[in-house]
Amino acid sequence: MSKHLDNPVMSEEFFRLFSREDRKIYGFILALVLDVSAAEDIFQETCVILWKEFPGYDSDRSFLNWANGIAFNQVRKYRRKYQNKRLIFNDNLVTELAEDVSSMVEEQSQRQLALTQCMQKLSPRERDLIDAYYGDRETAATVADRWKCSSHAIYKTIKKIRKVLFDCVNRRLSSEMTS
């Protein structure tokens, strides 16, 4: 049995990093194989390898990039195993897709971080409205009843907040590119 399995600090660090990125890793795999069943199998195998190889992970590197590298190798292994049994893209196309998906995931992560930071700048009432409408999926009418205002006022406020968030995220992303 591996030493890190008995090390609670290392286990905690692995699960903290993994739980933050697991959906992105699965999405990366799915984008490369375009088969949900195969993606789930590859994801499970990738998870086992990530766990076993975690002691060798360099914490100065991006966990997501490291994990996607392992996932990519698992996709290649899957492709070699099943290349004669189904329609499979050639290796050059899969490599190109992997690079595109990786850059999209990284861009999405930066956008998500910027949105989180911009959300913190909203007033508590504005955050409550966004949480209720988008997070809890409440209707504008439900929120309006609770806040004692019209549905139209809720829609107008949401539109204003979305514009503020959109502008804030774009400012943050463009300032990151220039720095």
Side-chain angles (χ1 to χ4, degrees):
M1 183 176 268
S2 297
K3 277 201 258 183
H4 73 283
L5 295 175
D6 297 329
N7 183 336
V9 173
M10 190 172 283
S11 296
E12 183 178 321
E13 178 67 7
F14 173 81
F15 288 114
R16 185 182 63 76
L17 292 167
F18 180 76
S19 66
R20 191 173 20 178
E21 308 292 1
D22 64 338
R23 290 179 300 209
K24 294 174 190 168
I25 298 165
Y26 176 78
F28 175 78
I29 294 167
L30 183 59
L32 295 178
V33 296
L34 303 173
D35 176 337
V36 172
S37 178
E40 289 172 356
D41 291 345
I42 294 167
F43 179 71
Q44 289 302 316
E45 187 63 30
T46 299
C47 292
V48 170
I49 293 169
L50 289 172
W51 174 247
K52 287 179 180 176
E53 298 295 323
F54 188 68
Y57 164 68
D58 177 3
S59 61
D60 292 336
R61 292 182 55 207
S62 161
F63 180 82
L64 181 60
N65 289 344
W66 176 72
N68 280 347
I70 290 172
F72 181 70
N73 288 334
Q74 291 307 113
V75 168
R76 288 177 48 200
K77 181 178 170 185
Y78 165 82
R79 290 173 40 72
R80 281 191 302 272
K81 183 176 179 182
Y82 292 104
Q83 69 186 356
N84 296 329
K85 295 185 177 156
R86 53 176 65 199
L87 176 63
I88 304 251
F89 298 130
N90 72 36
D91 285 342
N92 292 338
L93 177 59
V94 170
T95 300
E96 196 173 311
L97 284 171
E99 290 167 2
D100 289 348
V101 169
S102 289
S103 66
M104 288 169 40
V105 165
E106 184 62 32
E107 181 182 323
Q108 188 63 30
S109 296
Q110 291 170 350
R111 186 168 289 281
Q112 184 66 43
L113 176 61
L115 177 59
T116 300
Q117 292 166 340
C118 291
M119 286 282 294
Q120 292 170 351
K121 292 182 175 185
L122 296 176
S123 72
R125 186 168 172 89
E126 290 170 327
R127 278 195 304 272
D128 287 346
L129 174 58
I130 295 299
D131 287 342
Y133 190 76
Y134 290 106
D136 299 335
R137 299 196 179 277
E138 292 183 21
T139 64
T142 304
V143 176
D145 285 345
R146 191 171 60 246
W147 287 13
K148 309 281 189 263
C149 63
S150 70
S151 294
H152 179 71
I154 296 297
Y155 284 124
K156 230 170 123 170
T157 304
I158 289 171
K159 183 178 179 180
K160 181 190 89 167
I161 294 169
R162 286 180 55 170
K163 172 80 169 111
V164 166
L165 290 172
F166 179 81
D167 291 343
C168 178
V169 167
N170 285 336
R171 272 192 313 276
R172 284 189 170 278
L173 292 176
S174 65
S175 71
E176 285 178 11
M177 284 187 217
T178 58
S179 42

